Amino acid sequence: MRSEEAAPTDGPLGETDPAVAQRKSRAGRNLPAAIGVGAGLGAMVVVSLFLFKDVFVAVVVLALGVGLWELARALGTAGIKVPFLPVLTGGTLMLVGAYYGGMETAAVAMALTVIGTLVWRLSDGADGFVRDASAGVFCLSYLHLMGVFVMLMLVETDGPWRIVAFIVATVASDIGGYTAGVFLGKHPMAPTISPKKSWEGFSGSLVFGIAAGIATVTLALDGDWWVGVLLGIAGVVMATLGDLSESLIKRDLGIKDMGDLLPGHGGIMDRLDSLIAVAPVAWLILHYLVSPA
């Protein structure tokens, strides 16, 4: 979920290049590129979900692996050396273990990964040990532990539709917040963290998120409408908190985006920030309030 950022100036003396201005929205995104990339990612997710679940597992592993690389690189700008290899290996085992063996397998994989991260860092000595090891555990928890709940949704008999409900609610929150924030945003929500994120944008997120939650829960999962409302509200709140948290990480590190892999979006982490925050709550709501098909 991206905040409603003001469009940057591209020409000399603060003048905006007209060609660039045509391609960029009022929120500073290259909107055609953002839509194209978003549609491509959505198609990849849908095809992998409904044709072969194992392929979707691979997509999640790849996305979180790239996200880890971006996050580790960003932390490196502050002199923090994330033990990348043990975190990547252990995180991948957590995801695969959750899908094929359940939560207990994922928990064991995480515990062993934490130990492995500490052991891996021993060879570099005491200087910065706590800093680097803590960063490794943080990355593992922030990314792969959240991804475990996506795998737990997937293993249900109607798993693909649960994933669709979770993603659609999150994306709808993003679209609603973006639209309302750009055209109506006047009152900053968290000016010291994300100055362009507004309460009007948050209201737009609620409207879109709740509508998407009701539609997906009732039509795709045959659940009660009020569960869709709950999913929509929880999705908006968690997506907003996830976005603000990542914004604070970037502000602390002095960077604008986690990467530039996705035109119009930034890096993979700039797309995952909302999804990983919503995943545990979405699993909780759908697991206990919607019976598997």
Side-chain angles (χ1 to χ4, degrees), residues 161-231:
W161 286 112
R162 290 174 182 252
I163 300 294
V164 168
F166 143 66
I167 292 178
V168 168
T170 307
V171 172
S173 170
D174 188 7
I175 294 173
Y178 174 82
T179 303
V182 167
F183 293 104
L184 303 173
K186 292 181 180 179
H187 300 89
M189 175 183 286
T192 61
I193 300 175
S194 185
K196 296 300 179 179
K197 185 171 290 299
S198 65
W199 286 108
E200 290 81 4
F202 183 75
S203 299
S205 291
L206 280 174
V207 172
F208 277 59
I210 291 172
I214 293 174
T216 53
V217 168
T218 57
L219 299 178
L221 298 174
D222 197 27
D224 295 322
W225 66 270
W226 60 269
V227 178
V229 173
L230 185 59
L231 177 64

Side-chain angles (χ1 to χ4, degrees), residues 7-293:
T9 56
D10 299 277
L13 301 178
E15 297 177 355
T16 303
D17 187 331
V20 175
Q22 290 179 356
R23 295 195 303 270
K24 290 188 176 181
S25 70
R26 288 176 59 188
R29 290 191 194 183
N30 184 330
L31 198 54
I35 293 173
V37 169
L41 292 174
M44 180 177 64
V45 167
V46 170
V47 169
S48 62
L49 263 178
F50 290 97
L51 287 185
F52 199 47
K53 285 185 178 181
D54 289 21
V55 175
F56 180 75
V57 174
V59 169
V60 174
V61 168
L62 178 62
L64 291 180
V66 175
L68 174 63
W69 175 75
E70 290 182 346
L71 184 56
R73 186 178 63 169
L75 291 171
T77 62
I80 302 171
K81 299 178 181 178
V82 175
F84 181 79
L85 187 58
V87 174
L88 176 64
T89 303
T92 299
L93 291 176
M94 285 173 61
L95 296 172
V96 175
Y99 179 64
Y100 291 105
M103 179 64 86
E104 290 184 357
T105 303
V108 171
M110 182 171 184
L112 293 176
T113 303
V114 171
I115 295 172
T117 299
L118 297 175
V119 173
W120 181 276
R121 181 57 182 76
L122 286 175
S123 61
D124 288 336
D127 187 25
F129 177 82
V130 173
R131 177 199 63 202
D132 297 344
S134 298
V137 175
F138 165 72
C139 291
L140 182 71
S141 303
Y142 183 43
L143 291 172
H144 294 91
L145 179 58
M146 303 299 105
V148 162
F149 292 94
V150 178
M151 298 295 98
L152 294 178
M153 283 188 274
L154 184 63
V155 298
E156 301 283 0
T157 53
D158 55 355
W161 286 112
R162 290 174 182 252
I163 300 294
V164 168
F166 143 66
I167 292 178
V168 168
T170 307
V171 172
S173 170
D174 188 7
I175 294 173
Y178 174 82
T179 303
V182 167
F183 293 104
L184 303 173
K186 292 181 180 179
H187 300 89
M189 175 183 286
T192 61
I193 300 175
S194 185
K196 296 300 179 179
K197 185 171 290 299
S198 65
W199 286 108
E200 290 81 4
F202 183 75
S203 299
S205 291
L206 280 174
V207 172
F208 277 59
I210 291 172
I214 293 174
T216 53
V217 168
T218 57
L219 299 178
L221 298 174
D222 197 27
D224 295 322
W225 66 270
W226 60 269
V227 178
V229 173
L230 185 59
L231 177 64
I233 294 174
V236 169
V237 172
M238 297 308 298
T240 302
L241 292 175
D243 183 39
L244 289 174
S245 296
E246 200 221 12
S247 294
L248 200 56
I249 292 172
K250 292 187 291 188
R251 184 174 291 273
D252 186 29
L253 297 175
I255 59 177
K256 182 179 183 297
D257 289 319
M258 286 291 185
D260 55 6
L261 183 63
L262 304 177
H265 293 269
I268 286 286
M269 277 301 304
D270 296 300
R271 293 292 83 209
L272 292 178
D273 56 354
S274 300
L275 291 167
I276 58 178
V278 174
V281 178
W283 173 81
L284 184 68
I285 292 171
L286 296 178
H287 181 73
Y288 288 103
L289 300 179
V290 178
S291 299

